[in-house]
Amino acid sequence: TSTGFTDSAISKNTYYYYAATVDNAGNESLLSNEARIVVEGFVSLTADKNSISMQEGTSTGITLRVFNDTKSRQDIEFFADTDDSGLKAELAVDELSLNRNERTSFALNIIAEDGVSSGQHTVTVTMNYASIERTLTINVWIGSNDFISFNQLQTSFCNSAYTIRVPIDVTN
């Protein structure tokens, strides 16, 4: 039984929510009053690379981009974490303020120390603003260069025949 609901697939729009309860016999209540939520924008966090390959004892830099698409100035905090103690993630910035429609970028340095486990790992960058938490995950392969990374260059939409054409940047 849950008393909460998280809708994580939202975009700029107006949303209407209703709730109902169901008892153990399967009887459903009437709908609650309407809850109206207006999403006027987000602060977005993107990276120039979402998958990298590294060797033990090396480091690499990734550029993180932040854009404030909300209607007001936002104070933003950033945190980085990894799934292996031998893999370090260092942010060039841990907090900043962005005005409406302002954008900036900064570096994330990923360090594969000697002794880091080989295989797939993740680096998670968490961004907090206005009681909202968003995360960005970067996949890191240690000890292998045998993968291809696809980065979408622009937003793509389905045409009337439902064919998706996606321009990509292929990196090996």
Side-chain angles (χ1 to χ4, degrees):
T1 303
S2 175
T3 59
F5 173 72
T6 300
D7 189 351
S8 57
I10 60 173
S11 58
K12 278 185 172 182
N13 209 337
T14 301
Y15 296 88
Y16 302 90
Y17 296 93
Y18 302 88
T21 59
V22 179
D23 64 18
N24 290 336
N27 300 311
E28 186 172 327
S29 72
L30 296 175
L31 292 177
S32 68
N33 292 334
E34 174 184 285
R36 181 175 170 259
I37 307 294
V38 178
V39 179
E40 296 178 340
F42 291 100
V43 176
S44 63
L45 175 64
T46 59
D48 66 337
K49 299 174 191 169
N50 56 13
S51 297
I52 60 171
S53 179
M54 301 176 66
Q55 299 298 320
E56 186 178 333
T58 64
S59 66
T60 190
I62 291 179
T63 301
L64 299 178
R65 294 179 298 274
V66 185
F67 175 60
N68 180 5
D69 187 32
T70 68
K71 291 192 172 205
S72 61
R73 179 181 178 88
Q74 298 295 328
D75 296 320
I76 310 164
E77 295 179 314
F78 300 92
F79 306 93
D81 196 16
T82 71
D83 64 354
D84 187 294
S85 61
L87 190 63
K88 304 294 182 198
E90 299 174 346
L91 293 165
V93 170
D94 58 4
E95 61 182 49
L96 56 83
S97 294
L98 287 179
N99 292 318
R100 176 180 178 229
N101 292 325
E102 188 177 8
R103 66 184 72 233
T104 192
S105 60
F106 59 92
L108 166 67
N109 192 34
I110 300 175
I111 305 155
E113 296 179 334
D114 290 333
V116 65
S117 308
S118 62
Q120 182 178 351
H121 297 282
T122 57
V123 172
T124 303
V125 179
T126 303
M127 174 178 69
N128 293 314
Y129 69 96
S131 300
I132 297 171
E133 181 175 288
R134 308 218 38 203
T135 59
L136 173 71
T137 302
I138 298 165
N139 295 307
V140 180
W141 280 267
I142 303 295
S144 172
N145 290 325
D146 299 330
F147 76 95
I148 296 176
S149 173
F150 293 90
N151 292 313
Q152 186 173 339
L153 298 178
Q154 66 189 39
T155 303
S156 301
F157 299 95
C158 291
N159 63 24
S160 60
Y162 302 104
T163 302
I164 299 175
R165 296 173 191 243
V166 181
I168 58 172
D169 176 27
V170 179
T171 314
N172 187 2

